[in-house]
Amino acid sequence: PVGHSKMLLQLFLATLPQPPSRTSVRPTALLDWLAARGGGWSVDVSDQTPSGSRGLLTTRPAETGAVLLEVPLSATLMDAPTDDEAVEDAALLPQLSPPWSRGLPAATQLSLSVLSRRRSEGWAAFLASWPAESPSLAVSCEPDELRALLAASADPGIRRLGTDGEELAPLSAESCAHVSSLYVAARDAAEAAYCSGSLPSEASFRRAYGLVSSRCLVLTTRAHGRRTLLVPLLDFANHEAEPAAFFSFAAATASGPAIRLQAARPLSAGEEVTISYGGHSREHFALHYGFAPADGGVEAAYPSLDAISLPEMQGWADRQWDWQA
């Protein structure tokens, strides 16, 4: 019978190896790790975003203000407050950098924090989701190496800047010198605390610094002050001058304080979820993020509170908003 033949064909096709999804590159270990810590999301990781790079896509339609991702603060890495910062309870601050590094700049602290946790079972899933190498061009000082990186870049914006490195070489050298000075300051702090044995090599620090500076965000919270953070899954979001989403701090959720990614406008299922990395020059984007958008230097546009309906606004009164990435 026709129906029986069709069923046999379906059973046969089901036994064949299935081709990999063109878009799904789900970091399963990361998602399991985040779920175990109370995180939630309605986004997926894709390598087929409109920008051509890996990024986030919505899994269902979302209205303006809808929460797309919630990451408990305890699942983030952050810098420590300075002695003169007004922090309500410093003991509540999660996942701080090594104690001897806490007077150093935020990105230095986070770089050292990442390196100290790279072999930690508790953080392996998060750090394994990062790329093996930094996208930053500022980790290389030598003109020949910079030219090679520029020539190998697939980003059309970077190629428009030129592959001879004439425009970027002075900026790259300045940035490299700055990273070297940060490492020297970290070495001095470690030696002063008799902890020089825990200091990574300069090459490892430089690589970590490039990754951290291209993935961290700055956010004002209530109890914890203004912090620089590394937020799992949110760090997959690509840049857009008029982003599809924004991030905010939620003081009270089912899992405690959390970082939220919320829709800046109505989104369709499968639409890319972008954020703003800030208004920088194309050269800055090229050096520190590995791409050069045509809209470099343009400040992002964000929704006004009037654009968000009252039901969506409920529970937002205790949050502070900060748009800097």
Side-chain angles (χ1 to χ4, degrees):
V2 175
H4 182 66
S5 299
K6 183 177 181 180
M7 182 179 69
L8 289 176
L9 178 61
Q10 290 173 337
L11 290 172
F12 171 70
L13 291 175
T15 66
L16 296 178
Q18 297 299 309
S21 168
R22 293 192 310 158
T23 61
S24 179
V25 286
R26 289 176 62 85
T28 305
L30 173 64
L31 297 179
D32 291 344
W33 178 87
L34 188 56
R37 284 156 179 77
W41 58 90
S42 60
V43 294
D44 207 353
V45 180
S46 170
D47 58 2
Q48 296 289 319
T49 64
S51 61
S53 59
R54 182 171 293 191
L56 296 179
L57 301 180
T58 56
T59 58
R60 57 174 181 256
E63 297 299 323
T64 302
V67 176
L68 307 172
L69 170 65
E70 185 171 283
V71 179
L73 205 60
S74 59
T76 69
L77 295 173
M78 67 166 63
D79 67 322
T82 60
D83 292 338
D84 58 353
E85 278 190 83
V87 175
E88 292 179 14
D89 191 348
L92 295 177
L93 288 171
Q95 319 308 338
L96 298 175
S97 55
W100 56 265
S101 71
R102 294 182 187 175
L104 300 173
T108 299
Q109 291 185 44
L110 288 174
S111 300
L112 295 168
S113 184
V114 165
L115 290 171
S116 69
R117 289 176 169 83
R118 57 185 168 176
R119 295 185 180 89
S120 168
E121 183 177 346
W123 291 90
F126 174 28
L127 298 180
S129 71
W130 287 15
E133 295 295 332
S134 165
S136 172
L137 300 178
V139 297
S140 304
C141 302
E142 297 299 326
D144 289 344
E145 188 175 1
L146 178 62
R147 277 194 291 269
L149 290 170
L150 290 170
S153 175
D155 182 77
I158 286 183
R159 299 191 66 82
R160 280 195 296 270
L161 289 174
T163 57
D164 56 9
E166 289 184 5
E167 290 186 43
L168 294 179
L171 297 174
S172 177
E174 181 180 346
S175 181
C176 279
H178 175 64
V179 176
S180 293
S181 70
L182 294 175
Y183 181 78
V184 170
R187 183 192 62 197
D188 292 345
E191 290 176 352
Y194 302 100
C195 296
S196 56
S198 62
L199 187 70
S201 67
E202 182 172 354
S204 295
F205 174 80
R206 188 178 292 277
R207 187 180 307 111
Y209 187 88
L211 286 164
V212 164
S213 61
S214 65
R215 305 180 81 80
C216 66
L217 56 86
V218 179
L219 192 65
T220 299
T221 72
R222 283 198 171 198
H224 309 307
R226 187 175 178 83
R227 301 268 61 85
T228 302
L229 307 99
L230 295 166
V231 184
L233 200 55
L234 194 157
D235 59 6
F236 280 93
N238 289 320
H239 165 78
E240 191 173 19
E242 297 186 3
F246 57 90
F247 48 86
S248 63
F249 173 74
T253 72
S255 302
I259 306 301
R260 282 178 166 171
L261 182 66
Q262 297 176 254
R265 51 180 167 78
L267 300 174
S268 304
E271 190 169 348
E272 183 172 11
V273 180
T274 56
I275 60 175
S276 170
Y277 294 0
H280 305 296
S281 68
R282 286 189 292 274
E283 290 77 12
H284 179 97
F285 274 109
L287 282 175
H288 299 285
Y289 295 100
F291 69 95
D295 54 20
V298 177
E299 292 291 346
Y302 299 100
S304 67
L305 296 183
D306 294 336
I308 303 173
S309 65
L310 288 177
E312 293 162 347
M313 284 292 296
Q314 290 176 0
W316 289 16
D318 62 342
R319 298 175 204 159
Q320 295 186 13
W321 300 58
D322 191 306
W323 308 105
Q324 181 180 352

